[in-house]
């Protein structure tokens, strides 16, 4: 594990109380950042903040539904008031959502996935851009997926949202480079988090593992390494790009 020297930075991580977001919170706090985690459940936030205390930096947690733009704007204002600035935003909160063929997909399922996985990333990115403009720049990392590049049966809304995340990342990178803001997206393949393990048995996870060249699904910490590099000044020439991290899934 590399120390990315985030000592002077404040990081916001949505969906920071579980899975990939929680691994990012650990990686960034370990590298010296003050970390604000946003999630839906106060108990899960409190548990994560207790874990982060070991690194000795300031932490902050807030219950926020990223699909609610007013709540997102309020949460960003809370972070600035509490931690002073925002240098890094990991727009990561997301759900798997309904799994149905396109012809059977419900209105409700479609709007739920798009509301969190696409609108939620846009609202958080927008609030982060506004905060970062005030403080002279920053780095935004949007959580896409391999399904930001290819399709997957039964995942039409998820795939549409993740393709949208890749596109909005490219646009924002061009628009806000002059503000000192870099914007990138990350595309994990299948990662062992509650998003998968709550819904899939081990036999299904084994079948998914076989679709990766490495013969396994990933760990959230492996995604956090890439996210933390993109967030850091070590990635100073990286903007507007989609970075798969997929154990070889897309290479076939
Ligand atoms: N696990 C995978 O295989 C995988 C692969 C590619 C991309 N991703 C993406 O990674 C991101 C994180 O997923 P994960 O696998 O860590 O899942 P996870 O379920 O472990 O964590 C997601 C977190 O987001 C929070 N969240 C959900 N809806 C929210 C909302 N409306 N507002 C605020 N917080 C909300 C959840 O409470 C949870 O804590 C998601 O965007 C997901 O699409 C996951």
């Amino acid at each position: 594990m590399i120390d990315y020297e985030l000592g002077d930075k404040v990081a916001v991580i949505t969906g920071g109380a579980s899975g990939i977001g929680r691994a990012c919170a650990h990686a960034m706090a370990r590298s010296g950042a003050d970390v604000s985690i946003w999630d839906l459940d106060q108990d899960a936030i409190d548990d994560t903040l207790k874990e982060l205390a070991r690194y000795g930096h300031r932490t902050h947690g807030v219950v926020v539904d990223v699909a609610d733009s007013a709540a997102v704007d309020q949460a960003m204002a809370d972070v600035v008031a509490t931690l002073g600035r925002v240098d890094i935003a990991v727009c990561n909160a997301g759900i798997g959502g309904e799994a149905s063929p396109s012809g059977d997909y419900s209105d409700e399922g479609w709007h739920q996935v798009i509301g969190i996985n696409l609108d939620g990333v846009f609202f958080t990115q927008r609030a982060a851009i506004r905060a970062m403009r005030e403080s002279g720049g920053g780095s935004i990392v949007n959580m896409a997926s391999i399904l930001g590049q290819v399709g997957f049966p039964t995942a039409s809304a998820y795939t549409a949202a993740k393709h949208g995340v890749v596109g909005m990342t490219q646009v924002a990178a061009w628009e806000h480079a002059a503000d000192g803001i870099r914007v990138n997206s990350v595309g994990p393949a299948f990662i062992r988090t509650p998003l998968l393990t709550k819904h899939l048995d081990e036999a299904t996870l084994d079948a998914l593992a076989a679709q990766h060249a490495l013969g396994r699904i990933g760990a959230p910490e492996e995604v956090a390494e890439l996210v933390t590099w993109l967030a850091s000044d070590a990635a100073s020439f990286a903007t507007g790009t989609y970075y798969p991290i997929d154990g070889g899934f897309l290479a076939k």
Side-chain angles (χ1 to χ4, degrees):
M1 288 183 292
I2 297 170
D3 180 345
Y4 291 95
E5 298 182 9
L6 304 181
D8 55 346
K9 299 193 189 296
V10 173
V12 164
I13 302 169
T14 69
S18 178
I20 294 170
R22 188 164 67 182
C24 291
H26 275 272
M28 291 188 189
R30 196 183 64 229
S31 291
D34 296 335
V35 172
S36 172
I37 57 173
W38 301 11
D39 214 299
L40 292 174
D41 175 51
Q42 188 67 58
D43 290 342
I45 291 171
D46 290 344
D47 288 348
T48 308
L49 293 181
K50 273 185 210 140
E51 294 171 7
L52 297 179
R54 77 176 72 141
Y55 304 108
H57 306 296
R58 292 185 300 168
T59 58
H60 173 259
V62 59
V63 173
V64 56
D65 177 354
V66 296
D68 177 345
S69 69
V72 166
D73 290 346
Q74 182 59 55
M76 199 63 81
D78 285 353
V79 176
V80 173
T82 310
L83 299 178
R85 53 192 286 130
V86 176
D87 305 287
I88 296 164
V90 184
C91 306
N92 162 79
I95 59 167
E98 181 177 332
S100 309
S102 297
D104 301 323
Y105 216 91
S106 72
D107 288 10
E108 189 187 28
W110 176 268
H111 290 304
Q112 185 195 29
V113 172
I114 297 296
I116 298 170
N117 292 10
L118 184 61
D119 297 356
V121 171
F122 180 75
F123 296 151
T124 312
Q125 175 186 269
R126 183 177 63 187
I129 288 168
R130 290 172 179 168
M132 288 173 181
R133 274 199 302 223
E134 293 296 310
S135 55
S139 174
I140 296 172
V141 184
N142 291 327
M143 192 55 62
S145 161
I146 49 169
L147 305 190
Q149 183 173 346
V150 296
F152 196 81
T154 76
S156 54
Y158 189 94
T159 302
K162 296 302 188 182
H163 276 66
V165 167
V166 171
M168 77 166 74
T169 298
Q170 293 172 316
V171 173
W174 269 95
E175 291 167 337
H176 295 288
D179 297 316
I181 302 171
R182 294 184 296 103
V183 193
N184 292 284
S185 63
V186 165
F190 291 92
I191 308 297
R192 183 174 287 276
T193 72
L195 185 139
L196 292 190
T197 56
K198 268 194 297 193
H199 305 290
L200 305 177
D201 59 24
E202 283 300 320
T204 308
L205 291 173
D206 285 348
L208 288 173
Q211 296 187 35
H212 302 68
L214 294 181
R216 64 176 178 85
I217 61 175
E221 293 75 15
E222 293 175 305
V223 180
E225 288 288 321
L226 173 59
V227 173
T228 307
W229 173 71
L230 283 168
S232 77
D233 294 340
S236 52
F237 199 53
T239 200
T241 301
Y242 161 74
Y243 291 84
I245 176 157
D246 70 344
F249 185 103
L250 294 169
K252 191 157 47 134

